[in-house]
Amino acid sequence: MMRIHMYFCILIALICTAGCNQPASQSSSGTHPALYATLYQQQAAEYRALCYQAFAVAGFTLDAALATPHEKPLAVVVDIDETVLDNSPYQAQAIIEGFGYPVAWAEWIDLAEAESVPGALDFLTRASKAGVEVFYITNRKEEFRAATLQNLVKLGFPDADDTHLLMRTASNEKESRRLSVASQYEIVCLIGDNMGDFAGVFDTTDASLRMQAVDDNRGNLGSKWIVLPNVVYGHWVDILSGFDRNLPEDSLNAALIQGLHGFNRTNTP
Ligand SMILES: [Mg+2]
């Protein structure tokens, strides 16, 4: 009887321990809204392939620019997060521990341990060796300048210095910073994971306008504009969540489901 009681206590303890290890962020459905997306970035060979593909296309654009006469010096403009630096460990830890952005974001940046997005370092190194300058236009805050440079330098990214790093200004828009680069350089291509990395027209809260702007700019895609995949975060999901990054998970899931387009079934169960 004593032994049975002991086994019962151990069983209860194990159940409690298992429960305590569940991320606090889990919604009632048991699935974090960004679980699949984060796993895609960390585990899918397809994500890695898409990144290589994007930078391969950028390479074609670079070759064409180098073969064409130009009056101003050449430059490539890149975003940083999910374009040259992979922040998926931050998102993964957020899911594991159950916190939301911006909790621990400063801690992650200060570590300066982000790896290169696949293909980014190779492409920018090649561009630099060909005499093309690299400008980093990021919406990281000015307070993260030193840690950001440290991370880029540690990985060996070219032009990782104050002159070539343009941090967030008063607003998130990047158009003014792009124009300042374009005033002195001929921009070979823009590379980013958020359409706001390419043109100001995408800085809208209207998803249909953003879609239309993509259609209107098809000629730039794969030439002047090189897009990296980011299914974890971005302007697209901010629109769905009402730009509230602190929504409780159940509310966020409800908002996301509102964005689904299904079909009218003729044979309903
Ligand atoms: Mg980005």
Side-chain angles (χ1 to χ4, degrees):
M1 186 64 193
M2 189 72 172
R3 181 168 288 180
I4 291 172
H5 179 73
M6 187 178 71
Y7 286 151
F8 180 74
C9 288
I10 290 171
L11 181 63
I12 293 297
L14 285 173
I15 290 170
C16 288
T17 304
C20 292
N21 283 340
Q22 292 299 314
S25 63
Q26 282 202 337
S27 65
S28 57
S29 64
T31 304
H32 189 285
L35 177 62
Y36 264 56
T38 304
L39 286 171
Y40 184 79
Q41 189 166 335
Q42 294 197 326
Q43 300 288 348
E46 289 78 3
Y47 168 79
R48 195 171 185 81
L50 282 170
C51 294
Y52 283 141
Q53 182 171 267
F55 285 108
V57 171
F60 301 143
T61 294
L62 174 65
D63 291 339
L66 291 171
T68 307
H70 43 272
E71 293 183 357
K72 291 187 281 191
L74 298 178
V76 167
V77 171
V78 293
D79 167 54
I80 289 185
D81 294 316
E82 272 49 69
T83 296
V84 299
L85 293 182
D86 172 4
N87 295 293
S88 61
Y90 170 79
Q91 182 64 35
Q93 198 63 30
I95 294 172
I96 292 166
E97 287 191 36
F99 58 74
Y101 177 86
V103 174
W105 177 239
E107 182 183 344
W108 163 247
I109 290 183
D110 286 342
L111 284 173
E113 286 183 353
E115 297 290 340
S116 170
V117 166
L121 182 59
D122 290 346
F123 169 72
L124 293 179
T125 300
R126 186 160 87 80
S128 181
K129 284 182 176 172
V132 178
E133 291 187 44
V134 180
F135 285 88
Y136 302 87
I137 299 183
T138 176
N139 277 342
R140 287 188 174 192
K141 295 177 183 173
E142 187 64 39
E143 67 198 71
F144 298 130
R145 174 180 288 276
T148 301
L149 285 176
Q150 184 188 346
N151 202 152
L152 292 172
V153 168
K154 190 191 288 184
L155 293 171
F157 276 99
D159 293 328
D161 55 42
D162 282 330
T163 307
H164 294 83
L165 178 59
L166 286 74
M167 312 295 285
R168 185 198 296 187
T169 53
S171 78
N172 279 340
E173 64 83 23
K174 293 185 170 183
E175 192 70 20
S176 56
R177 283 172 282 171
R178 280 191 291 269
L179 289 173
S180 74
V181 175
S183 68
Q184 298 180 58
Y185 296 84
E186 189 168 316
I187 297 177
V188 173
C189 60
L190 304 163
I191 308 178
D193 65 295
N194 200 60
M195 293 312 295
D197 295 329
F198 304 99
V201 67
F202 295 102
D203 296 328
T204 170
T205 58
D206 188 328
S208 62
L209 283 181
R210 300 182 89 239
M211 292 289 193
Q212 184 61 51
V214 168
D215 289 349
D216 294 343
N217 285 280
R218 279 182 70 175
N220 283 322
L221 293 164
S223 56
K224 287 287 184 186
W225 297 359
I226 309 296
V227 187
L228 272 298
N230 180 1
V231 287
V232 177
Y233 67 91
H235 201 93
W236 67 274
V237 76
D238 285 338
I239 291 175
L240 290 171
S241 65
F243 290 84
D244 185 349
R245 292 188 172 180
N246 292 307
L247 275 181
E249 284 191 26
D250 286 347
S251 302
L252 177 56
N253 275 326
L256 295 181
I257 286 172
Q258 290 297 314
L260 293 173
H261 297 295
F263 72 101
N264 294 320
R265 295 187 62 191
T266 50
N267 297 316
T268 52

